[in-house]
Amino acid sequence: MYMLKIMSLLLLFANLFNCSTPKKTETYPFSADVLIKKDGEKLTAQFMFYAPISEILNGKENRGFGKSPLIVDFPKINGVAMKEVKTSETTKMYLAEIESAEKDYTVTFMRKDGEYQGVFRATESDLGKTITVQFKK
C-alpha cells in the first residue's frame, strides 16, 4: 500500500512538471513559389522567394498571415545562375531554364547570414501549377 502511494505521488509530480520531451518541429525561414511553364520544347521555372508572415501570441507562433517578398543574392538552380526579373520596387522574380519536368532540382541562394538550400521535384502534372519550395541553412 505504501509503495502504491509513492508511485502515485511520483506520477503526479511527473505530470505537474511535464517530464515528457517536447516535440521539435522543423521550421523553414524562407520559401519560394515556383511556376513551371512550357513554351514549345523549352521549360522555364519562375521563382518568387518570400518569408512567411507570422505572429507570436501567448508564446505560440501563429502562421498563415501572408507572404513578405524576399530579394535574394546569387540564386542558383543545380549550380546554374538564375536570371533576375524586376516586377516592382519591392518584388523580384527569378527565371531559370530547366531540362525536364521529371527531375529533382536543388535551389540555393545567399542571405547576409549564409546560404540557404531547398529541393523540389516537378512532374508533368505540375506544369502551370505553383509548387512551394522550403529552404533551410
Side-chain angles (χ1 to χ4, degrees):
M1 186 70 168
Y2 179 75
M3 196 66 154
L4 184 60
K5 287 182 182 179
I6 291 177
M7 294 281 285
S8 298
L9 283 174
L10 287 175
L11 285 173
L12 177 66
F13 283 122
N15 285 334
L16 286 176
F17 294 108
N18 195 9
C19 292
S20 63
T21 58
K23 292 182 180 178
K24 192 173 186 179
T25 57
E26 192 168 8
T27 59
Y28 297 94
F30 303 117
S31 298
D33 286 340
V34 183
L35 180 63
I36 310 285
K37 295 181 180 179
K38 188 172 186 176
D39 184 23
E41 293 297 315
K42 184 177 165 183
L43 290 174
T44 304
Q46 180 179 352
F47 289 82
M48 186 193 85
F49 296 94
Y50 63 89
I53 298 173
S54 62
E55 72 174 3
I56 297 180
L57 183 64
N58 296 331
K60 293 184 179 180
E61 184 179 19
N62 296 320
R63 296 176 176 232
F65 289 99
K67 301 173 182 180
S68 176
L70 193 65
I71 297 174
V72 300
D73 295 322
F74 312 113
K76 296 179 181 178
I77 186 165
N78 287 352
V80 179
M82 294 183 196
K83 296 176 189 173
E84 182 180 307
V85 178
K86 194 172 194 175
T87 58
S88 72
E89 195 63 34
T90 59
T91 306
K92 290 185 181 180
M93 301 291 244
Y94 301 89
L95 298 175
E97 284 189 33
I98 58 176
E99 300 166 7
S100 108
E102 299 290 334
K103 183 177 176 183
D104 286 339
Y105 293 95
T106 302
V107 180
T108 58
F109 64 85
M110 296 292 291
R111 295 284 293 173
K112 291 179 183 176
D113 61 341
E115 183 180 67
Y116 289 84
Q117 180 177 359
V119 177
F120 75 97
R121 180 174 187 81
T123 62
E124 287 293 329
S125 63
D126 292 329
L127 293 176
K129 296 178 185 174
T130 302
I131 302 169
T132 301
V133 182
Q134 296 179 326
F135 295 89
K136 61 182 177 179
K137 271 187 161 182

